[in-house]
């Protein structure tokens, strides 16, 4: 992230923020529309029988697939950030990623019986999102001077507002209108249209971004590019050989694949933090200090997402099977409950944007993260009570409304702040890659969360929700105890 030179022309702003924020806001809104539209129906599509145009997977397997899919979406953000930093530049990486995402949704929209187009579509969406997510957010951070922390926090909160406009509209358009009665492929097609609109808006607003993300932060030399090509080729070939051997051994199952990918999701950020801290990379001592502090925030975020991102799987199916889906006399589809959370974000996001500016540096990032974790844990205390009452019959939809409301308070305390603190703490040579590292916390949380759903085969629903709640609250309290120490490690040079 670079600061605006002192001799530059006065900055053109909209509501006190750079004009480029509006361009990135709109692009993210449509990209998230495509993502959340598909996500709202994915678990139901995987569970539905072939007679209902679904894949007919067992419920626990479907939960694990949704979790691993969400994990891989964010896992590939790390190489996506690296490609932007070293080869493409953030701006071109977002454009290429959006095109690949659109192709993935089109593949899933093909109305054929074979699941091959589904798995191909998911793979393309994963690859494309890895290029879009870290680099779009990185460009938001680069619109602001390095020392303008409060305005950057507010800018990310506004950016987050765009995320949730798309996330709110998508379940209605996809889940309630298009995909009901087994019309899954129409829903997937709507996601493709949403991504296309995002790409059009992005290209039209290109000029508003000034120089943000135009060039790689550290372009590869010819020798480095040749070495990377060799390593990538060897890695892809090795992966293909291992996958082929596993397939012919007769031991391959979808369940085992999800477990392996969960282990990979945990191993990659662990190894990458070691790579950053143990290598040279021209890092100063205060940059290393910031990375060490950031590891604490990363673990906290992973625990948060482990619980929060059970919404499209465990909570979505709970809505379908255990909840009275009537609200104000109107009945909705279970997938439409996925719009409750972003609706609250839309209402409360501006409030939090103003709040963080007013509080300034009086509340540290560590304290905000701790609050988010505790609130997320408390939401599952509510969920445990709802599950207990559901043993006697369907419960009111207001229970889920309350769960999502508490989670949103936690989300707005942690997620936009996490984006902001990542761009602020990122070493100069790892700017886009650190946004990729931030999204690895989602990858770890989603993968582990998908596997925790297997516990439902060994414990009651109330105990399952309560166990996860206690983990989150305990982690939040530990983080709060060390908040002052972490603030010292994150000091400015």
């Amino acid at each position: 992230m670079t600061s605006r030179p002192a001799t530059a022309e006065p900055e053109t702003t909209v509501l006190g923020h750079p004009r480029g924020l509006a361009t990135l806001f709109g692009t993210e809104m449509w990209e998230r529309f495509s993502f959340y539209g598909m996500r709202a129906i994915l678990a139901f599509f995987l569970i539905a029988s072939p007679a209902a145009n679904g894949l007919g997977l067992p419920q626990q397997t479907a939960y694990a697939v949704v979790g691993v899919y969400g994990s891989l979406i964010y896992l590939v953000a790390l190489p996506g950030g690296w490609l932007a930093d070293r080869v493409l530049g953030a701006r071109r990486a977002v454009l290429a990623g959006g095109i690949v995402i659109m192709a993935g949704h089109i593949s899933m929209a093909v109305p054929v019986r074979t699941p091959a187009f589904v798995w191909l579509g998911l793979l393309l969406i994963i690859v494309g999102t890895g290029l879009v997510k870290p680099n779009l957010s990185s460009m938001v951070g680069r619109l602001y001077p390095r020392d303008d922390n409060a305005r950057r926090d507010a800018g990310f909160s506004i950016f987050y507002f765009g995320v949730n406009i798309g996330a709110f509209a998508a379940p209605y358009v996809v889940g309630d209108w298009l995909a009901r009665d087994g019309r899954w492929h129409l829903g997937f097609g709507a996601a493709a249209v949403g991504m296309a609109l995002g790409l059009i808006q992005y290209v039209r607003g290109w000029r508003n971004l000034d120089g943000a993300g135009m060039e790689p932060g550290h372009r590869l030399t010819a020798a480095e590019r040749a070495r990377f090509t060799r390593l990538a080729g060897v890695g892809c070939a090795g992966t293909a050989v291992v996958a082929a051997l596993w397939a012919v051994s007769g031991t391959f199952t979808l369940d085992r694949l999800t477990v392996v990918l969960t282990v990979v999701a945990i191993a990659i950020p662990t190894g990458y933090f070691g790579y950053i801290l143990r290598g040279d990379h021209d890092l100063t001592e205060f940059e290393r200090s910031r990375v060490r502090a950031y590891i604490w925030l990363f673990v906290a975020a992973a625990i948060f997402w482990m619980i929060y991102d059970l919404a499209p799987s465990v909570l979505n199916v709970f809505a379908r099977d255990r909840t009275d889906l009537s609200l104000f006399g109107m009945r909705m589809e279970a997938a439409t409950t996925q719009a409750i959370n972003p609706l609250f974000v839309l209402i409360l996001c501006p409030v939090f944007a103003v709040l963080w500016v007013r509080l300034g540096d009086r509340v540290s990032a560590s304290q905000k993260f701790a609050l988010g974790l505790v609130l997320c844990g408390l939401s599952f205390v509510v969920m445990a009570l709802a599950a207990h009452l559901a043993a006697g019959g369907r419960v009111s939809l207001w229970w889920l409304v309350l769960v999502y409301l508490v989670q949103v308070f936690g989300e707005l305390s942690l997620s936009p702040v996490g984006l902001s603190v990542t761009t602020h703490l990122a070493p100069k040579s790892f700017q886009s890659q650190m946004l990729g590292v931030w999204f690895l916390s989602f990858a770890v949380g989603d993968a582990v969360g998908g596997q925790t759903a297997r516990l439902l085969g060994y414990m009651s629903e109330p105990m399952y929700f309560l166990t996860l709640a206690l983990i989150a609250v305990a982690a939040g309290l530990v983080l709060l105890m060390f908040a002052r120490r972490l603030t010292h490690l994150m000091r400015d040079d």
Side-chain angles (χ1 to χ4, degrees):
M1 182 171 51
T2 58
S3 300
R4 183 177 293 272
T7 58
E9 295 181 3
E11 180 185 29
T12 302
T13 63
V14 176
L15 300 177
H17 293 273
R19 288 185 62 187
L21 181 62
T23 296
L24 300 179
F25 174 100
T27 306
E28 180 75 348
M29 179 187 72
W30 283 112
E31 188 273 332
R32 291 291 88 182
F33 175 91
S34 72
F35 176 78
Y36 283 101
M38 193 271 284
R39 194 180 84 148
I41 63 174
L42 181 59
F44 297 142
F45 168 69
L46 296 175
I47 294 169
S49 68
N53 302 317
L55 293 192
L57 297 182
Q59 190 162 295
Q60 301 304 322
T61 302
Y63 289 159
V65 169
V66 172
V68 166
Y69 162 71
S71 174
L72 292 175
I73 282 285
Y74 297 109
L75 194 64
V76 295
L78 185 58
W82 185 90
L83 282 171
D85 270 344
R86 300 294 187 259
V87 181
L88 298 172
R91 197 179 300 194
R92 293 184 181 88
V94 169
L95 180 61
I99 293 171
V100 175
I101 290 171
M102 183 176 64
H105 287 301
I106 291 172
S107 179
M108 294 189 70
V110 176
V112 295
R113 291 288 184 180
T114 174
F117 283 98
V118 173
W119 302 125
L120 173 62
L122 291 176
L123 178 61
L124 290 173
I125 294 168
I126 288 166
V127 172
T129 306
L131 289 169
V132 171
K133 283 301 291 180
N135 299 309
L136 203 61
S137 300
S138 175
M139 283 192 287
V140 173
R142 294 179 192 183
L143 295 174
Y144 298 87
R146 178 176 285 274
D147 58 353
D148 196 354
N149 296 335
R151 198 163 66 115
R152 188 187 308 106
D153 280 2
F156 271 109
S157 291
I158 294 170
F159 179 72
Y160 214 63
F161 191 77
V163 170
N164 286 279
I165 291 177
F168 171 70
Y172 282 101
V173 175
V174 175
D176 210 32
W177 299 346
L178 297 176
R180 65 165 59 191
D181 301 324
R183 299 192 301 265
W184 312 112
H185 299 290
L186 284 179
F188 299 144
V193 172
M195 191 64 253
L197 292 173
L199 286 169
I200 293 170
Q201 193 273 342
Y202 180 64
V203 172
R204 287 175 60 87
W206 190 282
R207 64 184 181 276
N208 295 329
L209 300 175
D210 295 327
M214 195 63 192
E215 296 296 331
H218 176 72
R219 189 182 293 276
L220 293 178
T221 64
E224 290 172 332
R225 187 184 293 269
R227 181 171 177 268
F228 163 70
T229 302
R230 288 195 302 271
L231 289 175
V234 170
C236 291
T239 301
V241 169
V242 170
L245 291 174
W246 191 11
V248 300
S249 71
T251 61
F252 176 87
T253 66
L254 193 55
D255 272 323
R256 288 172 180 165
L257 177 62
T258 64
V259 172
V260 169
L261 291 176
T262 299
V263 173
V264 170
I266 297 172
I268 286 178
T270 302
Y272 200 75
F273 277 122
Y275 165 73
I276 293 175
L277 291 174
R278 291 181 177 274
D280 182 13
H281 314 302
D282 295 323
L283 265 63
T284 65
E285 183 52 40
F286 98 94
E287 285 180 321
R288 294 181 190 277
S289 171
R290 286 177 160 189
V291 172
R292 285 191 289 269
Y294 185 76
I295 292 174
W296 285 71
L297 302 182
F298 179 92
V299 173
I303 295 172
F304 179 90
W305 300 119
M306 177 184 73
I307 294 175
Y308 183 89
D309 278 346
L310 290 172
S313 55
V314 176
L315 298 192
N316 216 7
V317 173
F318 183 90
R320 184 191 67 181
D321 298 341
R322 314 294 294 280
T323 306
D324 177 4
L325 291 170
S326 297
L327 196 63
F328 299 117
M330 298 179 292
R331 181 171 176 80
M332 66 175 67
E333 295 293 313
T336 311
T337 63
Q338 296 299 292
I340 297 173
N341 180 295
L343 174 61
F344 283 134
V345 175
L346 289 172
I347 295 170
L348 296 172
C349 194
V351 177
F352 274 76
V354 173
L355 177 64
W356 297 143
V357 172
R358 293 282 180 87
L359 290 176
D361 294 329
R362 285 177 288 175
V363 180
S364 70
S366 303
Q367 292 169 326
K368 294 172 185 175
F369 268 60
L371 176 61
L373 269 175
V374 170
L375 289 170
C376 192
L378 292 178
S379 76
F380 262 36
V381 173
V382 176
M383 196 66 216
L385 181 56
H388 173 72
L389 295 175
R394 290 181 178 267
V395 297
S396 169
L397 182 58
W398 287 107
W399 283 101
L400 279 178
V401 171
L402 179 58
V403 169
Y404 287 130
L405 176 61
V406 177
Q407 286 190 352
V408 163
F409 278 103
E411 178 186 3
L412 293 176
S413 299
L414 182 146
S415 188
V417 176
L419 285 169
S420 180
V421 76
T422 300
T423 61
H424 179 57
L425 299 182
K428 184 177 180 180
S429 57
F430 287 89
Q431 286 180 355
S432 288
Q433 291 175 70
M434 282 300 289
L435 262 297
V437 171
W438 164 247
F439 290 117
L440 286 181
S441 69
F442 293 63
V444 174
D446 282 15
V448 174
Q451 297 300 328
T452 65
R454 298 185 189 279
L455 295 175
L456 290 167
Y458 303 94
M459 62 175 60
S460 67
E461 276 190 328
M463 184 56 65
Y464 168 74
F465 291 125
L466 192 59
T467 299
L468 295 183
L470 292 175
I471 292 172
V473 171
L477 294 177
V478 170
L479 186 62
L480 188 61
M481 289 173 56
F482 289 93
R484 183 172 297 180
R485 172 61 178 164
L486 293 178
T487 300
H488 175 71
L489 289 175
M490 291 187 289
R491 70 193 186 282
D492 287 327
D493 192 19

